[in-house]
Amino acid sequence: MTTVDQSPLARLRELGAAGRLTEDHAAVAQLLSQIASGAQGLADLTRAGQILARRDPDEILRRATDSGETVRPVTVAVTGHSTIEPLVAPLTAEFARHGYLLRPSVGEFDAYLRDLQDPSSHLYSRDTELALVVLDPQMIFDELPKPWSVADVEQTVTAKMAQLDRLVGNYVRHAKATLVLNTVPLHRIHTHSLVDLRSRTRLSVAWRSFNTALLGLSEKYARVQVIDLDPLIAEGGPVHDQRMAVYAKVQLGDEVLSRYAREVGHLIRALHGRTKKVLVVDLDNTLWDGILGDDGAEGIAAATTFRGEAFGLFQRTVQQLGSQGVVLAISSKNDREAVLAVLRDHPDMVLRDTDFARINANWEPKDTNLTDIAARLNLGVDSFVFADDSSFETGLVAMSLPSVAVVCLDDEPALHTSKLLADGWFDVLDLTDEDRARGELYRGEAARSDLLAGADSMAEYLRQLGIRVELKLVEQPDVARVAQLTLRTNQFNLTTQRWQQADVTDRINDPDHLVLSIRSADRFGDNGVVGALFARRDDGELHIENMVLSCRVFARGIEDAVMGTLLAYARDSGLRAVHGRYLPTAKNGKVREFYPAQGFDTVAEGAGGELTFRHDLQTIPAIPDHVRITSNFLDRVEGRLA
Amino acid sequence: MISKADFIRIVRDELALPLADKDLDEDLDQVVNWSSMLLVRLVVALEKETGQKVQISGLLTERTLQGIYARAVGA
């Protein structure tokens, strides 16, 4: 078929017609990202998903293994009260967009209660990573007597909530997956089936209580997430087509399901610790109205004019993200001094120079600048989101750095904010104190760079830095941060085992485990909890399961001080040896030599480059002079490990 | 009024069904895993294309895509 229509969706269809969808993952992901940022993004992604969902996941995995490509398979069990098959297409596309291969398992019609109840159902299957229980209003209305009164609804929602609470509690005790529920919309055909206004109001009150109680389940159970459909529905489109509901029992329509699928796509990213960390913004016509080089500082606006105010609102959104740990940076084609002057002195600016960890205002290409910012912050560009109003710049970055999430703004600044927030790139399960303080931490990083530039040697720099390390037994308040470190740390992560909060809690509660948090500070400020160490006692020996350390602080002697302290502790406790393991990934190559450098002997090299080490505790490495380390676990666990 | 070629394109693109022209006259059970959901989805897509409402209830008993096409576009 020849076509003049070269839209990304058309190109995807052509790949499909040529039978190349099972092998060209990079091309598919790139097309999906273009489709997502198009005018009909959600609907077109669903169309794309219909094509992609016809592929055989096993065939894709086989081919990927043969060609050495990385695809991340994720098994998602879907169940619900009504017809839920239409969710598979948008979910397939959203997952493929993030590099995941969806392996869906779709339950039978109206099987959600049975699936939740029955430990042999697909929801409980060992492979299942996400269990989506899609709720809709008919779960209540189907159970009402006919005709019904508002009192019937009140009774039914109360009983249904009690039943769900019991089933969900049972599920989280016996299954490993993250369970996803949703709030339930109320239709006008329901409220207006009641003719008296007082009853209508009571129906609305009962319905809101039901939804509030549903949301409460995610407060009550750590591994339960509840997606609030209200904001998704408010974005537009009918909740469903009444004809789909009547003839095909589809209670949630394509538009709502595609928005729901997008949320789930970002949820799986968050669960895997693939949250983006940095937002890089352009300046001219992105943060302010006008072009600084042409219009001058007095000719640009981010307040006072109609268009200016729209930019001011966008700056507030960027500031809001920054206050929650998103590191902000600038890449702008401008003269640096002019940019700094505006950020310091221009009366319209919400964001100031001190809000940004890096300000790259120069005439180099933007992909080069993003790479430079990544190097300076010691982060990968795959943790970057880039927002720019120029399609030339967004196109360049999308092509040259495909792992960067690109937000294509345009000449309508009133829509900048919704475009930036259309995807949940920065979604995390829980925000920690370290997250909130991250902007400050990265600005401290800049001050450290300056000190390093001024110091005569690295040793001199480290001495002046005045590093303090605190090694502590992890207690409940630090669990969220410690789990997050295992999820998000890629470089200094010796075995790259990803643990959710429940996994960390299990280890804390096990007397044979030692879970330590590493906190550091220096003269420029407190870095917070920057690392963790997990070890397990077995038959008089200590096995280090993993150690992670934030890339912000390594190569300052902190890792040496921690390991030296642990080894001394093991020796003093009468343990015979300490074992360690290194499992290589694409990103943790720089810690391959960590254990040998601490005096461990290499015991074996396994398949896939796995290394195992043993330390006989004869010679304990000295703690570096420039680090002052304190620990609270030495006395408190006396007799616990030894 | 949409042409038969448009109709086939809509079935292919909106339902992602690999449809050969001869399949128009085949019994739906022979063509694909047909369901009322696909029918409603097809009708919604046809309505978007033409701006005209299509009566679904009469289409539910049609056994071929040709029959659906004939009724839906009034050909």
Side-chain angles (χ1 to χ4, degrees):
Chain A
M1 188 176 81
T2 55
T3 173
V4 286
D5 176 9
Q6 272 303 309
S7 72
L9 183 59
R11 275 180 280 153
L12 189 83
R13 286 192 175 119
E14 279 178 7
L15 274 184
R20 286 173 49 209
L21 289 178
T22 48
E23 53 201 33
D24 262 341
H25 303 293
V28 169
Q30 201 145 17
L31 287 172
L32 290 173
S33 127
Q34 290 170 20
I35 291 171
S37 54
Q40 301 291 321
L42 283 166
D44 282 349
L45 269 186
T46 296
R47 293 187 178 101
Q50 288 177 339
I51 303 166
L52 297 173
R54 282 214 308 271
R55 305 172 303 174
D56 173 9
D58 292 326
E59 171 71 13
I60 296 172
L61 275 178
R62 243 191 328 272
R63 284 183 185 229
T65 315
D66 291 349
S67 66
E69 261 191 290
T70 319
V71 291
R72 302 180 176 88
V74 179
T75 301
V76 180
V78 190
T79 188
H81 169 69
S82 58
T83 306
I84 39 170
E85 282 82 0
L87 178 58
V88 173
L91 204 56
T92 302
E94 292 288 352
F95 273 49
R97 209 182 139 208
H98 299 307
Y100 291 108
L101 173 63
L102 177 72
R103 303 173 72 118
S105 115
V106 180
E108 287 170 34
F109 180 75
D110 193 16
Y112 77 109
L113 292 174
R114 200 181 66 212
D115 284 347
L116 272 173
Q117 176 94 51
D118 177 7
S120 65
S121 82
H122 63 134
L123 252 51
Y124 285 82
S125 145
R126 276 175 56 88
D127 302 339
T128 298
E129 221 175 305
L130 278 183
L132 309 181
V133 178
V134 183
L135 305 175
D136 65 72
Q138 288 310 117
M139 69 188 277
I140 300 298
F141 286 96
D142 283 353
E143 294 195 0
L144 298 182
K146 313 288 181 301
W148 53 271
S149 71
V150 70
D152 297 323
V153 176
E154 286 169 339
Q155 277 173 21
T156 305
V157 296
T158 307
K160 182 60 73 184
M161 198 55 229
Q163 183 187 28
L164 279 175
D165 193 346
R166 186 172 52 75
L167 289 172
V168 167
N170 195 51
Y171 182 81
V172 296
R173 270 191 300 281
H174 295 105
K176 279 282 175 204
T178 295
L179 181 68
V180 181
L181 304 168
N182 56 276
T183 63
V184 184
L186 181 63
H187 295 311
R188 189 172 180 281
I189 58 165
H190 299 132
T191 54
H192 286 62
S193 292
L194 297 167
V195 294
D196 72 300
L197 302 186
R198 192 165 305 283
S199 294
R200 268 186 211 165
T201 307
R202 273 179 59 198
L203 173 60
S204 289
V205 170
W207 205 261
R208 299 248 174 352
S209 307
F210 179 52
N211 278 328
T212 306
L214 275 171
L215 291 163
L217 290 176
S218 70
E219 302 258 277
K220 186 168 173 183
Y221 303 106
R223 256 182 308 112
V224 174
Q225 298 295 330
V226 183
I227 295 180
D228 188 357
L229 291 192
D230 278 4
L232 308 188
I233 291 166
E235 281 287 291
V239 173
H240 65 196
D241 183 306
Q242 194 58 35
R243 294 171 300 176
M244 283 289 245
V246 172
Y247 295 126
K249 304 284 181 282
V250 176
Q251 299 297 343
L252 297 175
D254 284 348
E255 180 137 5
V256 175
L257 287 179
S258 58
R259 292 183 196 281
Y260 172 93
R262 176 155 298 181
E263 302 297 315
V264 176
H266 287 288
L267 172 62
I268 192 72
R269 285 190 74 107
L271 284 168
H272 287 193
R274 294 178 64 214
T275 298
K276 301 280 184 184
K277 298 171 183 167
V278 182
L279 172 61
V280 184
V281 288
D282 168 53
L283 294 176
D284 292 335
N285 289 322
T286 294
L287 280 197
W288 59 61
D289 186 21
I291 297 179
L292 179 59
D294 295 345
D295 307 328
E298 60 290 343
I300 63 168
T304 65
T305 65
F306 278 123
R307 268 178 70 83
E309 279 183 9
F311 289 94
L313 284 173
F314 182 62
Q315 288 200 25
R316 291 240 174 266
T317 307
V318 174
Q319 181 191 44
Q320 174 80 17
L321 291 174
S323 75
Q324 298 166 87
V326 175
V327 178
L328 306 179
I330 289 170
S331 174
S332 165
K333 285 186 172 155
N334 263 309
D335 289 326
R336 182 176 169 82
E337 287 313 313
V339 164
L340 288 176
V342 167
L343 289 173
R344 281 175 191 145
D345 304 325
H346 198 289
D348 289 4
M349 296 301 140
V350 173
L351 292 162
R352 293 296 178 186
D353 56 333
T354 50
D355 290 313
F356 297 94
R358 300 288 313 171
I359 298 172
N360 278 34
N362 56 46
W363 299 93
E364 295 297 314
K366 294 217 173 182
D367 53 343
T368 311
N369 270 299
L370 262 59
T371 311
D372 172 67
I373 293 169
R376 302 293 180 116
L377 295 177
N378 207 1
L379 290 167
V381 283
D382 59 352
S383 64
F384 278 35
V385 176
F386 171 63
D388 199 312
D389 66 296
S390 151
S391 55
F392 171 80
E393 305 293 4
T394 52
L396 170 75
V397 170
M399 192 191 68
S400 149
L401 303 170
S403 65
V404 174
V406 174
V407 178
C408 304
L409 307 174
D410 57 22
D411 53 7
E412 178 46 89
L415 297 178
H416 279 12
T417 294
S418 48
K419 289 199 161 99
L420 177 61
L421 300 180
D423 271 291
W425 293 119
F426 304 110
D427 290 3
V428 288
L429 299 185
D430 284 290
L431 205 61
T432 62
D433 290 343
E434 279 73 11
D435 288 329
R436 290 189 193 88
R438 187 171 297 115
E440 191 58 43
L441 296 173
Y442 277 92
R443 286 189 291 280
E445 205 56 36
R448 287 183 194 94
S449 299
D450 294 344
L451 174 66
L452 177 57
D456 292 338
S457 68
M458 191 65 185
E460 170 67 10
Y461 163 68
L462 288 172
R463 203 184 53 70
Q464 286 189 22
L465 210 46
I467 298 170
R468 301 183 299 281
V469 177
E470 194 180 62
L471 200 54
K472 262 178 60 180
L473 279 179
V474 172
E475 291 173 2
Q476 208 56 43
D478 278 335
V479 165
R481 172 62 181 160
V482 166
Q484 190 189 60
L485 278 164
T486 74
L487 290 167
R488 290 171 66 157
T489 308
N490 296 316
Q491 300 180 72
F492 197 119
N493 194 335
L494 290 163
T495 54
T496 317
Q497 298 176 71
R498 309 292 194 187
W499 286 323
Q500 304 295 336
Q501 292 187 33
D503 302 315
V504 176
T505 303
D506 286 350
R507 284 176 169 75
I508 291 178
N509 293 334
D510 182 340
D512 282 334
H513 276 85
L514 185 64
V515 184
L516 300 175
S517 66
I518 304 164
R519 219 187 156 88
S520 77
D522 60 33
R523 61 183 267 201
F524 295 109
D526 189 349
N527 293 307
V529 175
V530 291
L533 190 147
F534 302 85
R536 176 176 48 80
R537 182 195 61 162
D538 190 19
D539 196 21
E541 307 197 333
L542 191 65
H543 296 260
I544 301 171
E545 289 189 301
N546 198 11
M547 177 170 162
V548 295
L549 192 66
S550 165
C551 51
R552 283 187 288 116
V553 299
F554 64 59
R556 291 181 195 167
I558 293 175
E559 57 273 39
D560 308 301
V562 167
M563 193 50 69
T565 305
L566 184 81
L567 291 170
Y569 163 72
R571 180 195 58 199
D572 299 345
S573 307
L575 294 168
R576 289 193 305 277
V578 176
H579 299 264
R581 261 188 344 141
Y582 166 75
L583 293 175
T585 67
K587 290 194 165 174
N588 72 351
K590 69 168 81 173
V591 292
R592 193 173 187 277
E593 298 302 321
F594 175 66
Y595 280 118
Q598 307 295 326
F600 283 70
D601 297 319
T602 307
V603 178
E605 176 153 8
E610 174 182 355
L611 298 170
T612 50
F613 306 94
R614 182 174 187 280
H615 200 292
D616 60 13
L617 302 177
Q618 295 304 311
T619 313
I620 307 289
I623 311 280
D625 288 343
H626 65 272
V627 178
R628 212 174 76 228
I629 184 161
T630 55
S631 53
N632 78 340
F633 70 97
L634 298 177
D635 48 334
R636 288 183 49 192
V637 288
E638 206 60 60
R640 179 172 161 173
L641 280 161
Chain B
M1 171 75 188
I2 56 171
S3 69
K4 199 177 275 191
D6 284 335
F7 180 76
I8 291 172
R9 172 181 56 77
I10 290 169
V11 174
R12 279 184 183 143
D13 288 356
E14 295 300 321
L15 307 186
L17 292 181
L19 185 70
D21 291 359
K22 70 171 178 52
D23 292 336
L24 274 185
D25 294 317
E26 292 274 351
D27 188 277
L28 285 170
D29 286 339
Q30 304 299 316
V31 185
V32 279
N33 195 4
W34 192 249
S35 68
S36 55
M37 191 180 79
L38 289 182
L39 175 70
V40 184
R41 200 185 283 272
L42 174 60
V43 166
V44 173
L46 289 172
E47 287 176 347
K48 260 189 210 151
E49 182 94 3
T50 61
Q52 309 257 322
K53 274 279 171 211
V54 177
Q55 186 78 268
I56 292 185
S57 47
L59 300 179
L60 287 161
T61 51
E62 279 296 337
R63 293 310 313 154
T64 63
L65 280 167
Q66 173 66 46
I68 291 171
Y69 171 67
R71 268 183 188 256
V73 303

